[in-house]
Amino acid sequence: MAAAMPLALLVLLLLGRRGWCLAEPPRDSLREELVITPLPSGDVAATFQFRTRWDSELQREGVSHYRLFPKALGQLISKYSLRELHLSFTQGFWRTRYWGPPFLQAPSDTDHYFLRYAVLPREVVCTENLTPWKKLLPCSSKAGLSVLLKADRLFHTSYHSQAVHIRPVCRNARCTSISWELRQTLSVVFDAFITGQGKKDWSLFRMFSRTLTEPCPLASESRVYVDITNYNQDNETLEVNPPPTTTYQDVILGTRKIYAIYDLLDTAMINNSRNLNIQLKWKRPPENEAPPVPFLHAQRYVSGYGLQKGELSTLLYNTHPYRAFPVLLLDTVPWYLRLYVHTLTITSKGKENKPSYIHYQPAQDRLQPHLLEMLIQLPANSVTKVSIQFERALLKWTEYTPDPNHGFYVSPSVLSALVPSVVAAKPVDWEESPLFNSLFPVSDGSNYFVRLYTEPLLVNLPTPDFSMPYNVICLTCTVVAVCYGSFYNLLTRTFHIEEPRTGGLAKRLANLIRRARGVPPL
Amino acid sequence: VLSYVAGIAWFLALVFPPLTQRTYMSENAMGSTMVEEQFAGGDRARAFARDFAAHRKKSGALPVAWLERTMRSVGLEVYTQSFSRKLPFPDETHERYMVSGTNVYGILRAPRAASTESLVLTVPCGSDSTNSQAVGLLLALAAHFRGQIYWAKDIIFLVTEHDLLGTEAWLEAYHDVNVTGMQSSPLQGRAGAIQAALALELSSDVVTSLDVAVEGLNGQLPNLDLLNLFQTFCQKGGLLCTLQGKLQPQDWTSLDGPLQGLQTLLLMVLRQASGRPHGSHGLFLRYRVEALTLRGINSFRQYKYDLVAVGKALEGMFRKLNHLLERLHQSFFLYLLPALSRFVSIGLYMPAAGFLLLVLGLKALELWMQLHEAEVGVEEPGGAPGPSVPLPPSQGVGLASLVAPLLISQAMGLALYVLPVLGQHVATQHFPVAEAEAVVLTLLAIYAAGLALPHNTHRVVSTQAPDRGWMALKLVALIYLALQLGCIVLTNFSLGFLLATTMVPAAALAKPHGPRTLYAALLVLTSPAATLLGSLLLWRELQEAPLSLAEGWQLFLAALAQGVLEHHTYGALLFPLLSLGLYPCWLLFWNVLFWK
């Protein structure tokens, strides 16, 4: 997931059950790979992927023996009849404009009957989230690619996102039986400016302060892919060391890419020097210019000032010179921003842009957020502005967070689009091709799928001053109200002198005694 | 009278120790933690400044391309914004009319943060090339900050052209609002909610002292904690820091310290009352962004600091602001400063204004009693006094007769507000004056024409009981004035207090009997325009640069033009307030004085 928020949780819970056939003997396999890509801005992205596949019907068979598949997750699947789970922890923000389209995306091809989606924009991710994640790996962090996962380096980056995806995959074309797939991904973006002192060269050691020493013995495949797209032109622009034995070509995100492959299971690779430290040097450093802009990027902000009203604006940029394409925009806005739906305006190139589909589910106070989903056609080479006004609600005083003046988070909106590609892509067989290919699902040859998350927003709500003066004001108001009430009562009431009907307490007491004695009362 | 004296005395007493408290840091996030400043890019800053000045001289405007390139080379995300604004009339002090320029800003993205919060360091560049040292320091600081990993908030480095106009254009575009009719291109890059901003102005690469400006648009002030933060780093770095250009008195026990404090306090009151943004930080305050302007002053003092010292202070402030968990909200927003380390809180200075307004209230009450007595006196021979007196018909007539003067004076105010700018072209066609002069002269003409008002209204007004007529009018005027001043005092204490000090005695005394010429002179002397002139003279006096009357007059004309211009360009409220609120009110008293 290319999550734009510190922590995203996506649970796809499918309650329906399908047909299944007799189980084959359980087989499981582990594939691991690392993809290193230079980003348009000069930073370096590293994406780890560990994929465990288990040909077992977890929900039907009483499975008790676990080999590669982590038992904790297996039990979760069988106990709660889980059909799919996507959980991602992200710290940082994928800057699409500078880094290009994000790598890790949630699967786009799920047919779901029941979907739960939740985002916690305020949570922080740190080492204590990484350690349990590493424990799910068969080789933990002892061997294979996972030796590179050293917490102090991974959290010394501009972007960090770790995720767990569990889903069933069909074992054959007719989908008569399924296997479970656990995919653990971790992607980090190293800031070239800080780690490389301005240079854009990198090596595994410099990035992770470790080198690769041995493959994980349990893995059936263990590879490192390095993006060397500019490499072919007479070895002029960059140099990788050690030189790759094989390369791999593919169309990724609409452009042709070339990858150098380092296979850790190839014994010659490690035996040469007891360790593998891949290095990349730029011979002709790329110019210090603004990086190329991707076809689709977005920006979201709160406009206006003051604590009464505001406006949520989302800018959608389509920088493609001649192709228009549709975008599905999904917004969840907390209930304490009261949206005025009649103020929803969508303009591109100064003209109103009518969305072809709108789904709006209003919020219920304290129960459910607003849900707004729109399908918008973005004209070629344009900026589309989607804006909606809101009013800031006053919360009950117990509903404020401990630090209310920090503001309240509004979770990012999600953009899904089919972006036209530059180069036509061929459909691929996912079991055979490298793992990272499945991160870029292709719908047909001329488009590729992109899911983007915009920035989370911080909105200030009208906040009482929870301090001593506030208490004093509350107290004085109460005192004034009480005084005012009694004064008002005194001033407006007219007093009449009335003959006392019953003569006070003494007389009543006397009457009681008289009644007890059987004498007529006074 | 007693109340008036008490009010003034209270105000003067504000500077003495029991009433001025020591400042203290309220925000825990900034108080307890220490930071170590490591900025050492003094040479780099000077080199940047030299390059910037050279490029600027060559192109004659802000060297946008050079700035973009340099900011990108230190590792920022760079964006530009172009803007243009046609002023309502030519600005003579800055020599500009059709203004167009470009702002350049670079964003340092905090690692592992999602751009929800940001801090701003801004350097306003005017038409002259005075602020290039500040640009150099900004770039060197950006380069230093970029190498650090502890940032939790994005930092925006903003260089604006045409000083405040550029800042205003950028702020409006950032918040996607249009308050002042500025045309500007939309911003490409944003960084969430701005938490705090610092503006930097340096005239040379060595400074003797750092002056801090707090007063913002319409007298808004930043949170006192931000000022405390500045003061902390002044002390830590051993910098000489001043407020209103005045040195800080050390000794508060003897009489000298408080007297010096009083000078600073008066200067602050005058500046705050003017409602102008004193530095580009003033425009941030509207968006609830706490902001300060730091000015490097280079005087003839022996000991000088270089850019490293200033840079270290800025680095420390930014690091502490970076620690902030919440917006600055703990300390005071309404305060007066007799010195950097001392403040007067709102609870202590409000009584001064309260006493002054009490005069109006008491006078109004007295008039009300007199009116009531007069009524009872009229009615008593005729009818029997009932327990509940219905409104006598004569009072209804009295109120109706008040409508005419009220309407006329309000119309005068409206004319004063609208006509000068609208009529500038007519004026330039018929008289040999420039547009700006035309505006000012029209202002004065309408203002003076207002004085002829009583003779005009007199024909309209016809009352049977002349004495009660003026009493009722004065009663209404007093209540009107008290209400207005009360509202102003709550939002901009300095302005309210200044106006109250001048207008209250004349307002209380004005009546059509007794020494009329004396009253008239008093009233003219305390009219809003005269107050402005007086304030200007006092301000220069306190700055130890006294003015002659002729210079004062020139400055007065310039101030009038500036006031009108600032209303149109930044949305300053002083001009509409005076022309629509206080001037008509004052006319009512004038009317009372010449009641026949």
Side-chain angles (χ1 to χ4, degrees):
Chain A
M1 280 179 69
M5 55 278 170
L7 184 132
L9 171 73
L10 178 72
V11 185
L12 291 155
L13 207 69
L14 193 66
L15 295 178
R17 282 186 183 154
R18 304 260 187 89
W20 53 286
C21 78
L22 283 171
E24 293 166 37
R27 281 189 296 114
D28 45 5
S29 63
L30 170 73
R31 293 170 72 187
E32 54 176 22
E33 71 177 37
L34 163 65
V35 186
I36 300 177
T37 328
L39 297 173
S41 65
D43 300 330
V44 181
T47 310
F48 292 88
Q49 221 183 134
F50 304 90
R51 185 214 193 206
T52 315
R53 184 185 154 147
W54 194 6
D55 296 343
S56 159
E57 297 277 346
L58 275 172
Q59 291 171 358
R60 282 285 159 234
E61 304 153 16
V63 181
S64 59
H65 180 66
Y66 289 82
R67 210 173 74 95
L68 295 181
F69 204 88
K71 191 175 179 182
L73 293 177
Q75 284 175 337
L76 195 74
I77 295 169
S78 48
K79 179 151 189 205
Y80 295 104
S81 309
L82 201 72
R83 279 304 293 260
E84 241 179 73
L85 171 87
H86 301 271
L87 174 69
S88 83
F89 297 87
T90 306
Q91 178 112 44
F93 176 60
W94 186 274
R95 306 194 183 278
T96 314
R97 191 171 185 273
Y98 287 85
W99 295 348
F103 290 156
L104 290 173
Q105 295 159 356
S108 62
D109 52 350
T110 44
D111 51 335
H112 44 261
Y113 300 136
F114 188 79
L115 174 76
R116 286 180 195 176
Y117 171 73
V119 181
L120 285 173
R122 211 181 173 171
E123 216 56 41
V124 221
V125 185
C126 74
T127 327
E128 64 179 22
N129 303 107
L130 183 69
T131 315
W133 185 89
K134 278 200 288 195
K135 281 187 182 161
L136 297 177
L137 297 171
C139 285
S140 189
S141 53
K142 304 287 191 300
L145 295 178
S146 48
V147 289
L148 299 178
L149 300 175
K150 214 181 154 196
D152 65 332
R153 301 303 298 172
L154 291 184
F155 287 103
H156 195 156
T157 50
S158 338
Y159 176 80
H160 171 106
S161 172
Q162 61 184 70
V164 174
H165 305 279
I166 304 172
R167 61 168 189 166
V169 287
C170 296
R171 251 181 262 176
N172 51 29
R174 287 177 52 227
C175 214
T176 48
S177 60
I178 53 166
S179 338
W180 285 92
E181 182 195 67
L182 165 69
R183 196 190 286 266
Q184 283 179 260
T185 57
L186 184 139
S187 64
V188 285
V189 175
F190 287 94
D191 188 346
F193 201 88
I194 292 183
T195 48
Q197 284 91 41
K199 282 192 206 158
K200 284 160 187 172
D201 306 342
W202 55 263
S203 71
L204 282 188
F205 186 76
R206 197 189 284 169
M207 288 196 294
F208 299 102
S209 75
R210 291 279 174 90
T211 54
L212 293 169
T213 48
E214 53 175 335
C216 174
L218 298 170
S220 59
E221 187 184 302
S222 182
R223 285 179 176 173
V224 179
Y225 292 84
V226 178
D227 183 346
I228 47 160
T229 306
N230 296 326
Y231 181 60
N232 273 18
Q233 290 110 31
D234 312 325
N235 259 351
E236 280 289 304
T237 43
L238 57 89
E239 183 187 12
V240 268
N241 195 25
T245 46
T246 45
T247 55
Y248 170 80
Q249 276 201 29
D250 199 2
V251 175
I252 298 295
L253 293 173
T255 49
R256 189 167 297 283
K257 298 267 183 187
I258 304 160
Y259 291 92
I261 304 178
Y262 299 89
D263 194 343
L264 293 190
L265 294 176
D266 179 5
T267 42
M269 186 61 73
I270 297 224
N271 281 2
N272 282 350
S273 58
R274 302 295 302 154
N275 64 16
L276 177 65
N277 180 21
I278 303 169
Q279 293 178 322
L280 185 139
K281 279 205 177 91
W282 291 91
K283 285 185 176 168
R284 216 190 301 142
E287 290 295 308
N288 224 350
E289 276 176 10
V293 181
F295 286 153
L296 172 70
H297 60 105
Q299 189 191 8
R300 195 170 187 227
Y301 57 90
V302 182
S303 43
Y305 59 91
L307 284 177
Q308 195 201 350
K309 283 183 179 175
E311 193 169 6
L312 284 176
S313 306
T314 313
L315 297 180
L316 309 173
Y317 294 85
N318 174 6
T319 56
H320 200 286
Y322 51 86
R323 286 277 301 269
F325 54 85
V327 162
L328 189 70
L329 179 74
L330 173 76
D331 256 331
T332 47
V333 181
W335 63 267
Y336 38 77
L337 305 187
R338 305 193 188 282
L339 294 184
Y340 293 139
V341 187
H342 71 277
T343 59
L344 175 70
T345 49
I346 304 166
T347 47
S348 31
K349 291 185 167 175
K351 274 182 288 183
E352 199 193 336
N353 186 344
K354 267 225 152 58
S356 39
Y357 158 79
I358 289 192
H359 169 69
Y360 175 66
Q361 192 181 342
Q364 287 170 25
D365 279 7
R366 298 172 183 84
L367 289 179
Q368 146 184 329
H370 302 268
L371 181 78
L372 184 60
E373 204 173 6
M374 286 175 283
L375 188 66
I376 307 166
Q377 184 80 12
L378 304 184
N381 203 4
S382 69
V383 185
T384 304
K385 184 177 177 187
V386 181
S387 61
I388 185 164
Q389 289 179 11
F390 63 86
E391 194 182 79
R392 298 161 205 246
L394 201 62
L395 302 185
K396 289 182 184 167
W397 70 278
T398 47
E399 287 170 347
Y400 286 96
T401 49
D403 41 8
N405 282 290
H406 178 65
F408 290 76
Y409 282 93
V410 177
S411 55
S413 46
V414 188
L415 290 170
S416 317
L418 286 174
V419 179
S421 49
V422 179
V423 191
K426 295 187 294 284
V428 286
D429 179 12
W430 286 1
E431 284 301 316
E432 297 304 315
S433 60
L435 284 175
F436 67 84
N437 254 351
S438 57
L439 303 179
F440 314 108
V442 180
S443 67
D444 59 71
S446 58
N447 289 319
Y448 61 94
F449 177 81
V450 168
R451 176 167 293 164
L452 295 182
Y453 291 80
T454 60
E455 301 96 327
L457 299 175
L458 195 57
V459 180
N460 274 82
L461 293 186
T463 310
D465 175 14
F466 290 110
S467 57
M468 193 270 283
Y470 176 67
N471 299 333
V472 171
I473 289 168
C474 288
L475 195 70
T476 14
C477 285
T478 317
V479 172
V480 167
V482 169
C483 290
Y484 174 78
S486 39
F487 263 104
Y488 184 74
N489 197 0
L490 274 177
L491 290 173
T492 53
R493 184 173 287 181
T494 46
F495 292 93
H496 298 285
I497 298 162
E498 215 176 274
E499 282 303 316
R501 237 176 273 144
T502 52
L505 189 67
K507 191 173 175 184
R508 244 188 264 170
L509 264 178
N511 276 344
L512 272 180
I513 297 166
R514 273 168 171 261
R515 198 182 297 156
R517 282 171 54 203
V519 189
L522 281 171
Chain B
V1 177
L2 207 64
S3 176
Y4 183 76
V5 173
I8 302 283
W10 185 282
F11 178 75
L12 295 181
L14 281 180
V15 287
F16 289 94
L19 290 180
T20 59
Q21 290 169 307
R22 281 201 157 275
T23 52
Y24 52 88
M25 194 77 87
S26 303
E27 177 68 50
N28 289 330
M30 294 199 307
S32 57
T33 44
M34 291 305 293
V35 291
E36 184 194 352
E37 302 91 49
Q38 293 161 333
F39 176 71
D43 293 331
R44 207 167 175 194
R46 270 187 293 277
F48 277 136
R50 257 197 314 278
D51 280 3
F52 176 75
H55 277 91
R56 193 176 189 188
K57 200 170 265 176
K58 209 171 10 172
S59 64
L62 199 70
V64 175
W66 180 85
L67 266 177
E68 273 187 87
R69 215 167 41 243
T70 318
M71 281 189 176
R72 201 163 283 136
S73 76
V74 299
L76 305 182
E77 274 181 28
V78 189
Y79 304 93
T80 57
Q81 181 216 9
S82 55
F83 64 93
S84 67
R85 174 84 165 96
K86 183 170 174 266
L87 300 182
F89 56 91
D91 181 359
E92 297 212 321
T93 44
H94 295 95
E95 292 171 350
R96 56 191 183 190
Y97 182 44
M98 299 284 293
V99 181
S100 65
T102 312
N103 297 327
V104 184
Y105 64 105
I107 304 179
L108 190 164
R109 295 291 183 188
R112 296 182 309 288
S115 297
T116 49
E117 299 167 277
S118 55
L119 305 171
V120 174
L121 176 62
T122 172
V123 170
C125 289
S127 46
D128 48 348
S129 56
T130 45
N131 220 358
S132 47
Q133 304 294 337
V135 176
L137 186 57
L138 173 127
L139 289 171
L141 274 175
H144 173 67
F145 286 0
R146 183 65 175 84
Q148 313 303 319
I149 57 156
Y150 41 65
W151 299 113
K153 297 176 169 60
D154 289 4
I155 302 178
I156 303 176
F157 296 91
L158 168 68
V159 179
T160 60
E161 204 174 0
H162 298 294
D163 42 51
L164 295 195
L165 280 177
T167 314
E168 179 69 30
W170 188 82
L171 276 170
E172 286 187 10
Y174 193 92
H175 294 92
D176 201 7
V177 288
N178 200 335
V179 192
T180 58
M182 182 87 68
Q183 276 110 38
S184 63
S185 60
L187 296 190
Q188 296 274 323
R190 285 189 171 78
I194 305 176
Q195 305 289 309
L198 290 180
L200 184 64
E201 291 174 23
L202 296 175
S203 50
S204 67
D205 57 353
V206 285
V207 294
T208 48
S209 59
L210 270 185
D211 189 49
V212 59
V214 286
E215 304 87 357
L217 187 68
N218 295 330
Q220 277 183 292
L221 297 171
N223 192 294
L224 191 59
D225 265 348
L226 194 62
L227 196 79
N228 294 341
L229 186 67
F230 169 71
Q231 202 222 340
T232 315
F233 279 97
C234 274
Q235 283 176 350
K236 192 177 173 193
L239 283 166
L240 187 65
C241 291
T242 58
L243 183 71
Q244 319 287 355
K246 297 274 180 199
L247 286 176
Q248 301 310 301
Q250 301 301 323
D251 180 23
W252 283 88
T253 44
S254 71
L255 200 62
D256 282 351
L259 280 183
Q260 212 178 338
L262 184 65
Q263 268 190 351
T264 320
L265 187 74
L266 278 175
L267 273 172
M268 174 169 176
V269 165
L270 288 175
R271 272 185 163 195
Q272 199 192 355
S274 76
R276 312 180 50 178
H278 288 269
S280 61
H281 75 281
L283 301 172
F284 282 85
L285 296 172
R286 177 192 287 158
Y287 304 92
R288 221 200 134 189
V289 176
E290 307 310 325
L292 285 181
T293 292
L294 309 185
R295 276 197 191 93
I297 309 260
N298 193 11
S299 65
F300 302 109
R301 206 170 267 275
Q302 282 289 313
Y303 195 78
K304 294 186 193 284
Y305 307 93
D306 61 351
L307 289 182
V308 176
V310 183
K312 276 189 173 172
L314 282 170
E315 185 198 356
M317 288 178 77
F318 267 91
R319 285 196 62 179
K320 285 240 181 171
L321 289 171
N322 183 46
H323 289 160
L324 276 185
L325 191 63
E326 304 179 65
R327 255 169 210 276
L328 285 171
H329 67 282
Q330 297 258 12
S331 195
F332 292 84
F333 283 95
L334 301 160
Y335 51 86
L336 291 176
L337 294 168
L340 257 183
S341 55
R342 303 231 162 206
F343 76 104
V344 184
S345 80
I346 176 168
L348 290 171
Y349 66 62
M350 269 324 226
F355 279 126
L356 293 189
L357 295 187
L358 189 66
V359 176
L360 294 181
L362 288 177
K363 197 75 191 170
L365 202 65
E366 185 200 339
L367 276 174
W368 175 255
M369 305 284 265
Q370 281 180 3
L371 272 175
H372 204 73
E373 274 167 23
E375 275 160 23
V376 173
V378 170
E379 297 235 340
E380 247 176 348
S388 61
V389 187
L391 270 181
S394 56
Q395 188 165 3
V397 174
L399 283 176
S401 71
L402 295 184
V403 172
L406 273 175
L407 275 183
I408 289 173
S409 53
Q410 281 299 333
M412 269 330 264
L414 197 64
L416 190 67
Y417 176 62
V418 176
L419 280 184
V421 175
L422 277 185
Q424 53 173 320
H425 298 295
V426 184
T428 42
Q429 276 164 14
H430 292 87
F431 302 98
V433 284
E435 273 99 344
E437 283 173 12
V439 171
V440 175
L441 294 180
T442 326
L443 262 184
L444 289 177
I446 296 178
Y447 197 90
L451 302 188
L453 186 74
H455 314 288
N456 299 343
T457 49
H458 195 63
R459 289 181 211 128
V460 186
V461 180
S462 58
T463 50
Q464 293 86 4
D467 221 28
R468 294 194 27 217
W470 73 260
M471 275 185 176
L473 183 62
K474 190 176 170 186
L475 176 64
V476 170
L478 278 175
I479 293 172
Y480 188 33
L481 182 66
L483 265 179
Q484 281 191 29
L485 288 179
C487 293
I488 298 171
V489 152
L490 286 179
T491 50
N492 184 349
F493 169 79
S494 301
L495 179 62
F497 183 78
L498 209 64
L499 287 171
T501 325
T502 50
M503 289 184 79
V504 163
L509 290 178
K511 55 183 169 186
H513 312 297
R516 262 201 198 183
T517 42
L518 188 71
Y519 286 151
L522 188 65
L523 209 53
V524 168
L525 274 181
T526 59
S527 81
T531 308
L532 178 62
L533 183 61
S535 308
L536 279 173
L537 292 174
L538 179 62
W539 180 52
R540 292 301 286 264
E541 184 70 38
L542 285 169
Q543 281 206 324
E544 289 152 17
L547 280 177
S548 69
L549 215 57
E551 279 175 322
W553 181 250
Q554 286 300 322
L555 209 62
F556 171 66
L557 294 184
L560 281 182
Q562 284 298 311
V564 180
L565 209 57
E566 264 157 24
H567 170 56
H568 287 281
T569 47
Y570 314 126
L573 289 176
L574 184 64
F575 172 58
L577 193 76
L578 288 185
S579 64
L580 293 177
L582 285 161
Y583 174 67
C585 190
W586 180 82
L587 277 185
L588 288 181
F589 288 109
W590 187 255
N591 212 333
V592 168
L593 190 60
F594 290 99
W595 193 274
K596 279 178 190 158

